Amino acid sequence: FSLFTSQGCKFRCDFCAAQKRQPEAYRDIEVITQDIETLAKLAVNFGIRKQKIYLSSLDLFQTPEELAKVLEAFAKARAENNIDYELRCLSRVDSFLRAISKHPELKELCRKAGLKTIGFGVDGSTEKVWRSQHKGTVKLSETDKALEECKKLGIIPEILMVMGFPTDNLESLVRNYVYTIS
């Protein structure tokens, strides 16, 4: 199931239907923590020892300070209730790399909280296409680095590849395919 953590995205990718250019706003951490604790206790009462939860943020690592509070709440509920979490989320490659670089404590918090899967919006393989879609500064080398960091952290990365934009051509589509397969 999904847990609503935040809304808004400061970026402006053309193909995204979300309201753009808005700072991410988290729900009150006290309310999120109460939700997590209540769900954990109810699960244990019903004999459920694992919860698979999608964290609703469009870019989970966009606001790392707030994310840390949410992960701490999951880690605490996990330890206190002997429950396992399989958390999954979406993230931009650059947000993820920036967050774990500036806030290295997130690496351990991800493990303790049960973050298992991150879907990275790669959305093509050429700078021309990324620029046309206002995707921001993206390099495949950054994507490769994010995938390697996930491997180190025991997190399953997913590549979300939107393609077929007006600026795509046969060469870029073949490059997308080859990169995705590799």
Side-chain angles (χ1 to χ4, degrees):
F1 60 91
S2 179
L3 179 70
F4 174 58
T5 56
S6 65
Q7 64 183 11
C9 184
K10 65 183 177 183
F11 300 104
R12 61 183 188 113
C13 304
D14 286 354
F15 57 85
C16 182
Q19 292 184 346
K20 302 174 231 344
R21 294 187 132 174
Q22 296 182 10
E24 184 178 40
Y26 267 76
R27 291 174 54 218
D28 183 289
I29 190 60
E30 299 295 325
V31 175
I32 293 173
T33 300
Q34 288 175 355
D35 286 350
I36 293 168
E37 289 172 356
T38 300
L39 289 167
K41 287 180 176 138
L42 286 170
V44 170
N45 286 344
F46 286 110
I48 299 168
R49 289 289 174 197
K50 180 188 279 189
Q51 292 182 343
K52 296 179 180 184
I53 302 172
Y54 169 73
L55 303 177
S56 70
S57 174
L58 291 171
D59 182 11
L60 193 72
F61 289 85
Q62 189 174 133
T63 313
E65 299 85 2
E66 295 299 313
L67 170 60
K69 295 173 189 174
V70 172
L71 293 176
E72 286 169 355
F74 273 107
K76 182 180 177 203
R78 188 177 188 195
E80 289 178 355
N81 296 286
N82 191 27
I83 192 165
D84 192 24
Y85 291 111
E86 283 190 21
L87 304 178
R88 64 184 305 124
C89 68
L90 296 176
S91 181
R92 284 175 51 115
V93 166
D94 55 345
S95 296
F96 172 73
L97 291 174
R98 188 178 316 107
I100 64 170
S101 173
K102 291 184 178 182
H103 302 275
E105 69 278 4
L106 283 176
K107 294 177 181 183
E108 182 63 15
L109 276 174
C110 287
R111 187 191 64 72
K112 286 183 177 179
L115 183 61
K116 301 289 187 209
T117 306
I118 301 174
F120 290 109
V122 176
D123 309 314
S125 60
T126 68
E127 289 184 36
K128 178 182 176 184
V129 170
W130 291 321
R131 274 194 310 274
S132 77
Q133 294 301 309
H134 301 102
K135 184 70 177 161
T137 306
V138 180
K139 296 177 183 163
L140 288 180
S141 61
E142 289 179 344
T143 301
D144 293 339
K145 185 176 179 182
L147 298 177
E148 187 60 35
E149 286 295 327
C150 283
K151 184 177 180 181
K152 291 177 192 174
L153 297 171
I155 294 172
I156 300 166
E158 295 176 337
I159 297 292
L160 306 175
M161 188 68 86
V162 176
M163 60 182 95
F165 299 110
T167 49
D168 268 317
N169 56 33
L170 181 59
E171 181 183 336
S172 66
L173 291 172
V174 168
R175 183 177 168 157
N176 293 346
Y177 174 77
V178 170
Y179 183 77
T180 303
I181 297 301
S182 71

